[in-house]
Amino acid sequence: MPQEYYLDLIKARAAALDRPFSEGIDVTNGVTKPFIVERVWSGPAGNYQEQWSIRSGKRNVVYSYPGQLIFVRGMQSATTLIDEVNVPVRLAPGSYQLVFVVEGRFMGSVDIEVAEAGSAAA
């Protein structure tokens, strides 16, 4: 990705796989239930190396999704990507950041909530 090109992170969220229209990640006994990470990119058409992670604080990575090559359709349209995470991840209930890196550059983050499944917050 040439230095002058940037993707815009229009929207990003995490949701329980069995409640995809909700917000946040459910855990049971400190382990995640399956969840999705959805994000919407806008920018120049092309293939980009993307990676996202869940962080507690700016530097403490608690989960890192494997890097992958994504295709963005171009600036005339938004490109929606959804990853499904079925592997249990150890997370305590609380607030975290979902951080996105494209071509080695920080491109944005959003706050997410992790709550015990069945709780009022979940």
Side-chain angles (χ1 to χ4, degrees):
M1 178 168 77
Q3 191 169 3
E4 68 272 11
Y5 288 82
Y6 291 97
L7 295 179
D8 290 321
L9 181 62
I10 297 172
K11 176 180 107 172
R13 69 187 192 96
L17 184 60
D18 61 353
R19 295 181 302 109
F21 299 106
S22 65
E23 297 282 333
I25 298 172
D26 293 343
V27 294
T28 301
N29 298 322
V31 176
T32 59
K33 296 176 72 176
F35 64 95
I36 61 168
V37 170
E38 175 184 19
R39 65 266 185 219
V40 180
W41 292 107
S42 176
N47 293 304
Y48 300 92
Q49 187 66 31
E50 178 207 50
Q51 186 170 20
W52 60 262
S53 59
I54 297 173
R55 299 181 186 200
S56 172
K58 290 188 180 222
R59 303 218 182 264
N60 185 22
V61 176
V62 293
Y63 176 74
S64 184
Y65 194 78
Q68 61 189 341
L69 195 61
I70 62 169
F71 175 72
V72 175
R73 290 190 302 257
M75 293 164 96
Q76 297 299 319
S77 64
T79 302
T80 300
L81 301 164
I82 300 174
D83 292 323
E84 195 173 299
V85 179
N86 290 301
V87 223
V89 177
R90 288 210 158 281
L91 285 178
S95 297
Y96 295 86
Q97 291 79 43
L98 189 54
V99 175
F100 297 89
V101 173
V102 174
E103 297 292 331
R105 291 188 177 98
F106 170 80
M107 298 302 275
S109 67
V110 294
D111 293 331
I112 59 170
E113 292 298 318
V114 174
E116 192 69 31
S119 72

